[in-house]
Amino acid sequence: RYIITITKNYGETIQLSSPSKEGYTFKKWTTLNNIDYLSNEYTFNGEDETLTANYGVDLYNLTIYLDGGTDNTEYSNTYTIDDVITLENPTKEGYTFIGWSGTDIDGLSMNVTISHMMGDRTYTANYSINNYTLTINPNGGIYNNTSSNTEITKAYNDTYTLETPVREG
């Protein structure tokens, strides 16, 4: 917090500049009597006065793409420099979550927390498809020209057409 004291004679005028504060926009000056002072010039009127800067918090856009996945969090479309947001890792049937990509991330990250940040941010959930193994036991017969178990590995939602096994008797 900075306090600047300026001494001038009655009737003298000074130019007021707009102070800056990271993550906020200057709105107005307010006197000790809670009177808004919107001018960029101040004329000394023979009394001591204190002007206090007033700010509005800046809003930034937050966009999250779950790419068909789900989580239990309802994210706001905006955030401020004062917010702390941790992205929950989503789930997607038949897939494994492998990380977030997006603003300020090189590659993929399993953990994303937005804290004391500024600017619009976009994040996308990334997944790898799960593979599953189907074991076919011919149970004494022949399946796919073999009498032993046959293992077929397929990705989630792939189809496989079963052949009819052959067994004598």
Side-chain angles (χ1 to χ4, degrees), residues 36-140:
D36 292 343
Y37 194 80
L38 303 175
S39 175
N40 62 351
E41 290 184 352
Y42 180 78
T43 302
F44 287 81
N45 60 10
E47 296 179 16
D48 292 341
E49 184 65 83
T50 298
L51 297 176
T52 302
N54 291 265
Y55 301 90
V57 67
D58 294 337
L59 289 177
Y60 305 104
N61 294 316
L62 176 62
T63 305
I64 299 172
Y65 297 107
L66 296 177
D67 190 27
T70 59
D71 67 15
N72 297 322
T73 306
E74 291 187 28
Y75 299 105
S76 172
N77 292 333
T78 60
Y79 76 98
T80 71
I81 194 169
D82 297 323
D83 291 330
V84 177
I85 301 167
T86 300
L87 300 186
E88 180 180 322
N89 294 343
T91 59
K92 183 176 179 179
E93 185 178 356
Y95 294 81
T96 299
F97 177 75
I98 58 171
W100 294 100
S101 59
T103 308
D104 296 334
I105 297 175
D106 291 326
L108 297 175
S109 176
M110 293 298 287
N111 302 301
V112 173
T113 298
I114 301 165
S115 174
H116 303 293
M117 294 186 181
M118 299 186 315
D120 295 344
R121 307 187 84 68
T122 300
Y123 299 100
T124 301
N126 294 272
Y127 308 90
S128 65
I129 193 164
N130 294 340
N131 288 318
Y132 299 94
T133 301
L134 171 65
T135 302
I136 300 169
N137 178 355
N139 196 21

